[in-house]
Amino acid sequence: ATTLGASAAERGRYFGTAVAVNKLSDTAYATILNREFNSVTAENEMKIDALEPSQNQFNYANADRLVSHARSRNMQVRGHTLAWHSQQPGWMQNMSGTALRSAMLNHVTQVATHFRGQVVAWDVVNEAFADGNGGARRDSNLQRTGNDWIEAAFRAADAADPNAKLCYNDYNTDNWTWDKTQAVYRMVQDFKTRGVPIDCVGLQSHFNSGSPYPSNYRTTLSSFAALGVDVQITELDIEGSGTTQANTYRNVVNDCLAVARCTGITVWGIRDTDSWRASGTPLLFDGSGNKKPAYDAVLSAL
Ligand code: XIL
């Protein structure tokens, strides 16, 4: 096949991108999106601050625009994200204790119910582990409501949308030897052992000099999969350019294809100029929408 999405589909996978909803009216952007991708993730429009700007007042307009764009073009939607320490609305940032726990669970329930049947997979919880050594949970207002906040969020999401795949998503969990990776692994193992509903693990995979693509990436993917969950590469971008960058993209695709339960790859933006990274050229299309060597490497690997 001649596009990322169609080629991935021939391998039983999806190939997605993060979408900024306000760019859907950019013709060059929408042309590449509609031609190449068969899955979308809202870059910001399904985050807590976007959907619940005031407590219990939900604003679904932008997110619904993306969902209808996707559904009318047979693209899947990944939901991102129901519970997170970041991009919380002001009213939530200042909450704590049982009031925050209830507000978080209400958010999970309301949002997962609104999108029931339209979101294939949810990042139920995002970035709940700390960086560095030790494998601790990240300190946050949510964590301070009790160590069981993650499983409570998963149970609420499962009750609201029993058919959605429920994922735990994080970064710096790509290198199998890192403490953070091992800590997430043990949590998923514990959830599977105790019957907490979890279906998938998302590896953001923002690769740069501080957290480069690791040679044991395939081991990480296969080790999580062996726990009985799908793995998805959810926010891929790779610092660099030219042949070096293309080779790393090829390695990522080959690693996913080598693991039966690696069900899809999402890049975190379309053109380099769409990237959340302030500088650099981490994506598959240049600022003019031309295919980069990294694009050719991905397409030929798929
Ligand atoms: C980023 C968006 O790309 C930016 O537009 C926004 O300003 C901040 O968030 N990990 C995640 C994503 O899970 O939600 C982040 O997205 C990038 C890092």
Side-chain angles (χ1 to χ4, degrees):
T2 59
T3 66
L4 302 172
S7 297
E10 289 177 357
R11 303 298 211 105
R13 269 85 171 177
Y14 64 82
F15 204 96
T17 181
V19 170
V21 172
N22 65 0
K23 291 181 184 168
L24 289 175
S25 55
D26 172 339
T27 308
Y29 180 91
T31 299
I32 302 172
L33 170 65
N34 297 341
R35 185 186 70 219
E36 296 287 344
F37 297 97
N38 59 4
S39 176
V40 293
T41 305
E43 187 172 2
N44 289 295
E45 294 82 357
M46 290 193 193
K47 293 174 179 174
I48 311 171
D49 58 352
L51 293 183
E52 196 178 355
S54 306
Q55 189 170 10
N56 246 324
Q57 309 235 330
F58 290 84
N59 181 357
Y60 293 112
N62 288 327
D64 284 346
R65 275 181 64 203
L66 179 61
V67 170
S68 67
H69 185 99
R71 286 171 66 85
S72 66
R73 290 167 181 81
N74 281 317
M75 299 169 177
Q76 296 184 10
V77 179
R78 291 195 84 259
H80 176 77
T81 176
L82 295 172
W84 191 22
H85 70 278
S86 183
Q87 291 183 265
Q88 293 182 359
W91 63 265
M92 185 181 277
Q93 289 176 34
N94 297 319
M95 287 183 92
S96 62
T98 53
L100 173 61
R101 177 69 74 103
S102 303
M104 179 273 285
L105 293 175
N106 180 57
H107 183 86
V108 170
T109 300
Q110 298 296 325
V111 173
T113 300
H114 176 84
F115 292 108
R116 181 161 51 209
Q118 307 185 60
V119 164
V120 171
W122 270 110
D123 292 332
V124 177
V125 171
N126 196 33
E127 301 182 348
F129 281 80
D131 288 308
N133 297 331
R137 292 286 182 85
R138 175 193 296 275
D139 181 49
S140 71
N141 61 345
L142 292 167
Q143 179 63 28
R144 290 190 291 271
T145 72
N147 207 50
D148 63 342
W149 73 276
I150 299 179
E151 63 189 86
F154 273 85
R155 291 189 199 281
D158 185 51
D161 188 352
N163 294 322
K165 299 279 191 193
L166 305 180
C167 306
Y168 176 79
N169 193 56
D170 215 327
Y171 67 92
N172 285 357
T173 47
D174 313 287
N175 191 320
W176 180 240
T177 68
W178 287 14
D179 284 2
K180 187 171 174 180
T181 309
Q182 293 297 314
V184 173
Y185 178 85
R186 284 192 300 272
M187 179 188 74
V188 175
Q189 188 175 46
D190 171 58
F191 280 14
K192 295 300 286 184
T193 303
R194 291 191 296 110
V196 178
I198 185 169
D199 305 298
C200 36
V201 171
L203 302 184
Q204 292 184 11
S205 301
H206 296 291
F207 292 128
N208 54 53
S209 52
S211 64
Y213 165 79
S215 57
N216 57 29
Y217 191 58
R218 192 178 296 190
T219 299
T220 304
L221 295 171
S222 61
S223 299
F224 277 110
L227 292 175
V229 290
D230 289 342
V231 286
Q232 304 180 336
I233 299 165
T234 54
E235 305 185 14
L236 179 64
D237 49 22
I238 303 174
E239 185 179 84
S241 62
T243 306
T244 308
Q245 180 183 56
N247 286 339
T248 308
Y249 266 103
R250 176 185 298 109
N251 287 337
V252 169
V253 172
N254 284 334
D255 288 341
C256 181
L257 292 176
V259 176
R261 293 198 77 154
C262 181
T263 57
I265 299 174
T266 298
V267 288
W268 203 244
I270 297 178
R271 302 162 301 193
D272 285 334
T273 44
D274 300 315
S275 172
W276 69 304
R277 296 300 198 189
S279 63
T281 54
L283 296 172
L284 301 178
F285 295 86
D286 70 18
S288 304
N290 300 305
K291 297 168 180 174
K292 293 167 56 183
Y295 173 95
D296 297 328
V298 168
L299 185 66
S300 65
L302 283 170

